[in-house]
């Protein structure tokens, strides 16, 4: 039997210790440095074009991902498929249920959330939510380069090295990985926003810049931390 149990952060414990379960990743690669062969005195136009292109990519890719938070349900509430009482009920969330708040921006006064216990995404009214701590974003270094490819679009081999079903959102696309499953996904070059989640695991969010004609690997683990 494992010595550390996967539980919700803040739940009552028989001892003074508390634990939470989060994602861990394979050893990240160093952040890229400037290319030493690029001239600096006669290439200002090239640098300006690159800055404009990167700014455009960042704007188009980052607008869909706002700051996320942990939170708790303050009263029993219906957890719905959409932002309104006309949408079907997924389940009823009890008082104290820990949730992941995708963004503090609301739609019809509903928060878009993930029920951490089940890893289901839906909506609950903001009046039933107590907002908790801000979720820290990972800023690059999670994708490990595996070599050049003939494909202009970068390719990522993703390995769900856990016993849980992994839900992975890359920009606007959502993928599901069975335990120990590997998939290779082709993306567009530029900045990739990601969110990884699984049942009873605090979701992990961040951004990564992917180069054209480049392969990457990305491996997920589960770790249990003391709090």
């Amino acid at each position: 039997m494992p010595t550390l149990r996967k539980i919700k952060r803040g739940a009552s414990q028989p001892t003074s210790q508390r634990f939470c379960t989060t994602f861990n990743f394979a050893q990240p690669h160093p952040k890229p440095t400037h290319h030493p062969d690029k001239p600096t005195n006669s290439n200002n136009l090239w640098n300006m074009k690159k800055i404009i292109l990167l700014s455009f990519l960042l704007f188009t890719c980052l607008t869909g991902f706002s700051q996320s938070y942990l939170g708790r349900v303050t009263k029993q509430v219906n957890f719905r498929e959409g932002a309104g009482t006309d949408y079907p009920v997924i389940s009823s969330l009890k008082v104290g249920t820990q949730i992941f708040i995708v963004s503090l921006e609301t739609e019809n006064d509903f928060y878009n959330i993930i029920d951490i216990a089940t890893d289901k995404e839906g909506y609950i009214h903001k009046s039933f939510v107590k907002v908790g701590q801000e979720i820290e974003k990972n800023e690059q270094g999670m994708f490990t380069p595996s070599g050049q490819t003939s494909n202009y679009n970068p390719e990522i081999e993703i390995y769900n090295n856990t016993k849980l079903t992994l839900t992975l959102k890359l920009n606007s696309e959502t993928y599901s990985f069975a335990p120990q499953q590997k998939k290779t996904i082709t993306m567009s070059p530029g900045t990739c926003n990601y969110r990884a989640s699984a049942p009873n695991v605090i979701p992990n969010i961040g951004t990564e810049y992917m180069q054209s004609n480049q392969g990457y690997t990305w491996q997920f683990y589960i770790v249990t931390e003391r709090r």
Side-chain angles (χ1 to χ4, degrees):
M1 296 290 292
T3 56
L4 298 180
R5 296 178 296 145
K6 290 184 295 182
I7 61 171
K8 298 176 183 176
R9 177 163 26 193
S12 299
Q13 297 298 308
T15 69
S16 61
Q17 293 180 334
R18 290 180 177 178
F19 307 95
C20 74
T21 306
T22 59
F23 280 110
N24 198 9
F25 305 94
Q27 183 65 34
H29 62 81
K31 291 186 177 180
T33 57
H34 294 293
H35 198 293
D37 296 331
K38 293 292 183 185
T40 58
N41 57 352
S42 62
N43 210 18
N44 292 333
L45 181 59
W46 184 89
N47 286 331
M48 185 178 297
K49 288 181 178 179
K50 186 169 77 168
I51 291 171
I52 293 172
L53 176 60
L54 288 176
S55 299
F56 175 75
L57 288 170
L58 285 171
F59 176 78
T60 55
C61 295
L62 287 175
T63 51
F65 278 65
S66 302
Q67 179 60 55
S68 299
Y69 296 80
L70 291 178
R72 289 194 178 276
V73 173
T74 57
K75 295 181 181 179
Q76 186 160 336
V77 60
N78 287 329
F79 180 34
R80 296 182 179 273
E81 294 181 3
T85 56
D86 293 336
Y87 289 90
V89 175
I90 299 171
S91 65
S92 180
L93 300 183
K94 297 180 179 180
V95 176
T97 298
Q98 189 178 37
I99 58 175
F100 174 88
I101 305 169
V102 176
S103 169
L104 293 184
E105 297 176 6
T106 61
E107 182 180 351
N108 297 329
D109 287 334
F110 279 72
Y111 283 137
N112 180 200
I113 69 148
I114 294 175
D115 174 22
I116 292 178
T118 62
D119 194 32
K120 291 182 178 180
E121 184 172 357
Y123 294 80
I124 61 175
H125 196 276
K126 69 177 185 178
S127 61
F128 295 88
V129 175
K130 180 180 181 180
V131 178
Q133 73 181 69
E134 182 178 296
I135 297 292
E136 183 179 356
K137 290 184 179 181
N138 295 307
E139 297 294 339
Q140 299 201 13
M142 295 299 149
F143 296 4
T144 302
S146 58
Q148 296 289 310
T149 67
S150 58
N151 189 351
Y152 174 78
N153 291 323
E155 299 173 347
I156 317 171
E157 183 187 76
I158 300 171
Y159 176 30
N160 177 22
N161 190 14
T162 77
K163 296 180 180 179
L164 303 174
T165 298
L166 168 70
T167 301
L168 182 60
K169 188 171 184 178
L170 301 175
N171 289 334
S172 60
E173 297 293 327
T174 302
Y175 304 88
S176 181
F177 291 77
Q180 302 299 315
Q181 184 178 12
K182 286 185 179 180
K183 286 183 184 180
T184 298
I185 296 173
T186 301
M187 301 286 294
S188 298
T191 300
C192 173
N193 296 277
Y194 63 82
R195 184 181 75 210
S197 61
N200 289 313
V201 178
I202 295 174
N204 193 289
I205 58 175
T207 61
E208 186 77 20
Y209 183 80
M210 298 182 298
Q211 299 179 2
S212 58
N213 299 104
Q214 178 69 55
Y216 298 89
T217 61
W218 197 13
Q219 188 170 172
F220 287 87
Y221 302 89
I222 299 292
V223 293
T224 307
E225 300 174 346
R226 290 185 178 183
R227 294 289 181 180

